[in-house]
Amino acid sequence: MINDNRCPTCDSENIEAHTTYTTQKGEQRCIFHCQDCQDYFSETKNTPLAGLRTPLSKIIMVIDALNDGMGINAAVRTFKVAKNTIYDWLERVAELKEVLMLYSLCHQFLSQLVEGDELYTKVKENKAPDQSEGWTIVLMERASRFLWELKCGQRECSLFQAAMETLSRVIAQSQEVSLVTDGERRYGNILFEICRQALRTGKVGRPRQTLPKGVKVRVKNKGSQAHKKGSKRPKYQAPQPEHPDTSQDLADTDIHANHLEGFNAGIRRKLACFRRRTNTYAKQEETLQTRLDVHWVLHNFVRPHFTTKQVPAVALGILERGMSLFELFKVRFV
């Protein structure tokens, strides 16, 4: 499991329980002794729970409320907790994203169909959309609803670059990956620059550059120009050349981001900083990314999806069962 007991100093499994102690709130915790490096450490060392004095049950109530649509200021008034304290709890959970992502990428996957789309909100002030840092790229595996990427920033190449670098790591662990988007061509173009390979056929001349074997990228061109009679722009398109041995079994009707559109509508109900026609938008890009990282953790590893009735990490085969927030707070950082 992710939260197995190891020595945080030497990563040894040769540990044994030494003593127990009682916290100020009456919780019983254990002190372990490593037989290899002779270090003593608490069961909460290098976990989000380290150094916290608030009962874990109250922290979970606040995080659940924030991820169900309550704003920060409303949580402060309801639970009688300081705003900076809530921010600290959120940052602790957000730091688990790196650990859980590494754990997810340790698994091998047969086939994945990933949808890519963008979500928009305001950050700090009401700027023009092309100047806002509130654009959020979402990469979601369609069958399991697992989120591979949830990253915000300005809608520039650097944002798409970061998302495609994450997808390239997924490609390295998968035999077949299909990426479908609605109209945005930068997904395929940047992914091609990151993981393109030379196709060596033995013929004279420079070898042709293609996507890796098993990788497909499809764009559904929206707008009147794609449907206009005689238009040179097809409705369904592969923006970059693909490996000739890649199976072409992706139907035109499957080239859409409808599942992500539903996710985008859901996240506007669950996170106050994404609501429309209100002033509850994020004040800083870093704060918005923290909220997104917390949502990434809870969505993928804790909460069952309302359509599949499974936790996405379980549906994708990463975990055997979903995690509770109590277990999540005991996961050790890298």
Side-chain angles (χ1 to χ4, degrees):
M1 288 295 293
I2 302 175
N3 55 346
D4 57 345
N5 284 325
R6 295 173 181 266
C7 176
T9 303
C10 65
D11 200 36
S12 171
E13 296 183 357
N14 188 17
I15 61 175
E16 61 180 19
H18 183 259
T19 57
T20 60
Y21 67 99
T22 305
T23 65
Q24 293 181 350
K25 302 298 180 180
E27 297 178 359
Q28 291 288 327
R29 293 179 183 170
C30 184
I31 296 291
F32 291 98
H33 178 218
C34 177
Q35 303 298 309
D36 292 340
C37 67
Q38 303 301 317
D39 189 19
Y40 294 87
F41 60 93
S42 171
E43 65 181 54
T44 62
K45 186 173 182 179
N46 290 348
T47 69
L49 202 57
L52 292 180
R53 298 182 178 181
T54 307
L56 183 54
S57 57
K58 184 173 183 178
I59 298 175
I60 290 175
M61 287 176 59
V62 175
I63 292 178
D64 266 336
L66 291 174
N67 211 55
D68 280 331
M70 182 177 285
I72 293 289
N73 292 332
V76 169
R77 296 190 299 268
T78 303
F79 298 102
K80 305 296 187 296
V81 181
K83 184 181 293 187
N84 288 339
T85 300
I86 294 180
Y87 284 142
D88 177 60
W89 295 345
L90 291 174
E91 289 174 359
R92 288 169 181 259
V93 178
E95 289 177 359
L96 290 174
K97 180 181 179 181
E98 181 181 357
V99 180
L100 296 175
M101 176 63 83
L102 291 174
Y103 183 80
S104 301
L105 291 173
C106 289
H107 293 71
Q108 295 288 333
F109 307 101
L110 293 178
S111 177
Q112 296 194 64
L113 179 56
V114 180
E115 294 183 9
D117 203 1
E118 307 87 49
L119 179 66
Y120 170 73
T121 189
K122 296 180 288 185
V123 173
K124 192 174 182 179
E125 58 186 14
N126 193 7
K127 301 178 183 177
D130 59 340
Q131 299 178 0
S132 175
E133 297 89 0
W135 284 98
T136 302
I137 283 187
V138 189
L139 297 179
M140 184 177 72
E141 205 280 321
R142 181 179 290 178
S144 63
R145 306 302 199 271
F146 189 89
L147 297 177
W148 281 114
E149 188 60 280
L150 196 61
K151 188 173 182 59
C152 69
Q154 281 190 294
R155 197 177 185 184
E156 298 175 344
C157 286
S158 58
L159 183 62
F160 290 90
Q161 180 84 19
M164 291 301 97
E165 287 176 354
T166 299
L167 186 60
S168 67
R169 298 167 66 189
V170 177
I171 291 173
Q173 299 297 115
S174 307
Q175 295 183 15
E176 182 178 340
V177 173
S178 301
L179 172 64
V180 295
T181 68
D182 280 354
E184 179 56 71
R185 305 174 68 86
R186 279 181 285 187
Y187 290 103
N189 295 339
I190 295 177
L191 182 64
F192 180 77
E193 294 297 326
I194 292 176
C195 61
R196 62 183 178 181
Q197 297 178 356
L199 180 61
R200 303 190 183 277
T201 60
K203 297 182 180 180
V204 178
R206 181 178 299 176
R208 185 187 182 194
Q209 300 289 322
T210 67
L211 288 167
K213 182 181 177 181
V215 178
K216 296 188 289 288
V217 178
R218 294 292 185 274
V219 175
K220 180 181 179 181
N221 293 319
K222 290 186 174 182
S224 59
Q225 295 299 320
H227 303 274
K228 189 176 179 180
K229 186 176 181 179
S231 174
K232 295 182 180 179
R233 188 180 186 188
K235 185 176 180 180
Y236 304 100
Q237 189 175 7
Q240 295 293 344
E242 298 172 357
H243 197 281
D245 294 336
T246 299
S247 61
Q248 302 298 323
D249 55 354
L250 187 60
D252 288 347
T253 54
D254 293 332
I255 304 173
H256 58 77
N258 295 347
H259 299 80
L260 266 186
E261 295 293 345
F263 170 81
N264 293 347
I267 201 173
R268 292 191 183 280
R269 297 190 301 269
K270 295 177 181 179
L271 294 185
C273 48
F274 276 95
R275 294 206 188 116
R276 299 181 186 273
R277 294 189 292 275
T278 67
N279 289 326
T280 55
Y281 50 86
K283 303 303 184 291
Q284 295 180 3
E285 181 183 343
E286 294 80 7
T287 306
L288 177 60
Q289 186 61 58
T290 298
R291 297 295 303 276
L292 290 173
D293 289 346
V294 173
H295 186 77
W296 185 93
V297 171
L298 299 184
H299 174 94
N300 284 337
F301 293 89
V302 178
R303 294 187 168 184
H305 197 272
F306 73 97
T307 55
T308 63
K309 310 303 180 186
Q310 285 185 303
V311 175
V314 176
L316 194 58
I318 297 173
L319 297 179
E320 295 182 357
R321 61 175 180 82
M323 301 177 65
S324 67
L325 277 171
F326 285 93
E327 294 173 325
L328 203 64
F329 270 87
K330 295 181 180 180
V331 174
R332 295 193 186 277
F333 298 120
V334 177

